[in-house]
Amino acid sequence: MKNLFTAAAMAALAVGATAGSAQAGTTFDAVKQRGEVVCGVHTGLAGFGAPDAQGNWSGLDIDVCRAVAAAVFGDAKKVKYVPLSAQQRLAALQAGEVDILSRNTTWTLTRDTSNGLNFTAVNYYDGQGFMVPKSLGVNSAKELDGATVCVQTGTTTELNMADYFRANNMKLNPLTIEAFEEVNAAYASGRCDAITSDASQLAAIRANDLPNPDDHVILPELISKEPLTPAVRHGDDQWFDVVKWSIYAMIDAEEQGITSANVDEKKGSDNPNTKRLLGVTPGMGAALGLPEEWAYNIVKQVGNYGESFERNVGKDSPLKLERGLNALWTDGGLMYAPPAR
């Protein structure tokens, strides 16, 4: 009986291995054959994903797409950007219309399981908040009893808001609108007392969509956890690894003090961790099915995580966001990369 069981178990494992290998690399192979990464991005959220007047995309989420292209092709420009609304984004990834969804999307249990997605590595730790005109005289979200609140429908934001008002026994008058831009316009025109979204989005709306940003205040309460995370489809572990480690490479580079300006110099470092990350000591690229200089290309062309943060959303950007939870773990934040070894 023992031998029969062992033989059956080995046969089952062989079948499983065959089935797994048939799917492995499907997206990765398609990307390489196509010659570009197709990246699902926001329709226009300054600091995270938005085009300029010439159609050039930039933002924290855009840098993830660029990093993956740099890792795979050695060229961060080999990206096709597909703008997606909140309602379109998950279906577009599920249907194979995009290779990566890098569009301020919250990692949740149901999206990770029943929606058939794999979330890679958090690139921004956020939380949902409220913004109101200063003229309203409100200093706390708990003073919004009976308020009309603008919110984008089809988002976790809408659900979190309802939970918060219910938990605090407050009356809510939601003004639900599908298009992100129309939500902002409704708030700007005074159709609602407050607008709710991720705090980073509220900062972007205040900086870019309101004529007098100083007339509006983001209230201090954060009512949810919003780990914003690029996602890929279930079924291709190799592509999942490539995207995940492209993000980790940017974080690891910041931890090691490697920047776009000094990365060439750092290739001469005696630090074993630096030598492995930058491909001087071979092995990490091969493990991912990438050129050994995959991480070097990311840092050289895109920068480390700190450079991307400051350029797109940091204190010197229009959003003027503090690092906060998005600081490195060594600085009291949550950004932490597993070792490249």
Side-chain angles (χ1 to χ4, degrees):
M1 289 296 291
K2 181 177 180 181
N3 290 338
L4 287 173
F5 175 79
T6 302
M10 291 178 67
L13 286 171
V15 171
T18 303
S21 62
Q23 289 191 344
T26 304
T27 303
F28 191 23
D29 290 344
V31 168
K32 289 190 292 184
Q33 184 174 3
R34 189 191 310 123
E36 65 180 2
V37 178
V38 180
C39 210
V41 297
H42 204 286
T43 52
L45 179 63
F48 288 84
D52 62 16
Q54 289 73 44
N56 299 311
W57 287 82
S58 65
L60 197 70
D61 289 334
I62 299 303
D63 280 351
V64 171
C65 308
R66 296 175 62 230
V68 174
V72 176
F73 301 113
D75 186 348
K77 296 179 181 178
K78 290 191 174 182
V79 183
K80 176 183 178 181
Y81 299 105
V82 179
L84 298 169
S85 70
Q87 292 72 30
Q88 296 168 329
R89 57 185 170 171
L90 302 185
L93 180 58
Q94 291 163 339
E97 296 171 15
V98 296
D99 304 314
I100 309 169
L101 179 64
S102 187
R103 186 207 177 282
N104 68 311
T105 299
T106 302
W107 183 353
T108 70
L109 186 150
T110 51
R111 287 174 176 173
D112 201 1
T113 54
S114 58
N115 286 142
L117 308 185
N118 276 339
F119 287 87
T120 55
V122 177
N123 71 326
Y124 191 89
Y125 288 95
D126 211 344
Q128 183 175 332
F130 296 87
M131 181 165 64
V132 298
K134 285 184 179 177
S135 60
L136 198 64
V138 169
N139 298 306
S140 167
K142 292 184 178 179
E143 298 174 21
L144 292 175
D145 190 12
T148 299
V149 183
C150 283
V151 64
Q152 187 176 18
T153 191
T155 61
T156 56
T157 306
E158 183 181 6
L159 303 177
N160 293 337
M161 176 183 67
D163 286 347
Y164 181 77
F165 273 74
R166 188 180 304 111
N168 287 281
N169 297 312
M170 298 192 302
K171 181 181 178 182
L172 170 65
N173 295 310
L175 179 57
T176 56
I177 301 172
E178 182 172 329
F180 174 76
E181 294 78 7
E182 292 178 15
V183 177
N184 303 346
Y187 173 75
S189 66
R191 290 179 59 195
C192 45
D193 303 306
I195 182 172
T196 186
S197 189
D198 294 348
S200 61
Q201 286 200 43
L202 296 178
I205 293 166
R206 181 171 61 179
N208 296 279
D209 298 333
L210 299 175
N212 299 299
D214 291 340
D215 291 344
H216 302 266
V217 61
I218 299 173
L219 299 177
E221 292 89 353
L222 294 180
I223 68 169
S224 69
K225 294 184 294 184
E226 305 294 333
L228 306 181
T229 314
V232 297
R233 284 180 299 282
H234 279 176
D236 189 338
D237 287 348
Q238 187 177 16
W239 183 241
F240 174 58
D241 288 343
V242 167
V243 177
K244 175 175 57 179
W245 280 97
S246 293
I247 299 169
Y248 283 144
M250 296 177 70
I251 299 171
D252 194 5
E254 184 182 8
E255 290 182 9
Q256 297 192 43
I258 308 170
T259 69
S260 56
N262 70 15
V263 66
D264 288 305
E265 176 188 344
K266 289 288 188 178
K267 289 186 76 174
S269 170
D270 292 329
N271 186 321
N273 294 319
T274 300
K275 292 171 73 172
R276 281 193 296 270
L277 182 66
L278 298 182
V280 177
T281 300
M284 300 304 99
L288 289 165
L290 296 173
E292 291 298 346
E293 291 197 332
W294 66 282
Y296 166 85
N297 289 329
I298 291 173
V299 180
K300 183 69 174 179
Q301 298 179 38
V302 184
N304 66 34
Y305 178 79
E307 290 179 279
S308 177
F309 186 99
E310 293 304 330
R311 178 172 64 240
N312 293 300
V313 301
K315 290 179 289 184
D316 294 330
S317 75
L319 272 64
K320 303 185 186 306
L321 296 174
E322 300 285 344
R323 285 291 293 266
L325 295 177
N326 298 291
L328 294 178
W329 65 284
T330 50
D331 296 325
L334 297 178
M335 284 297 168
Y336 182 107
R341 62 177 309 131

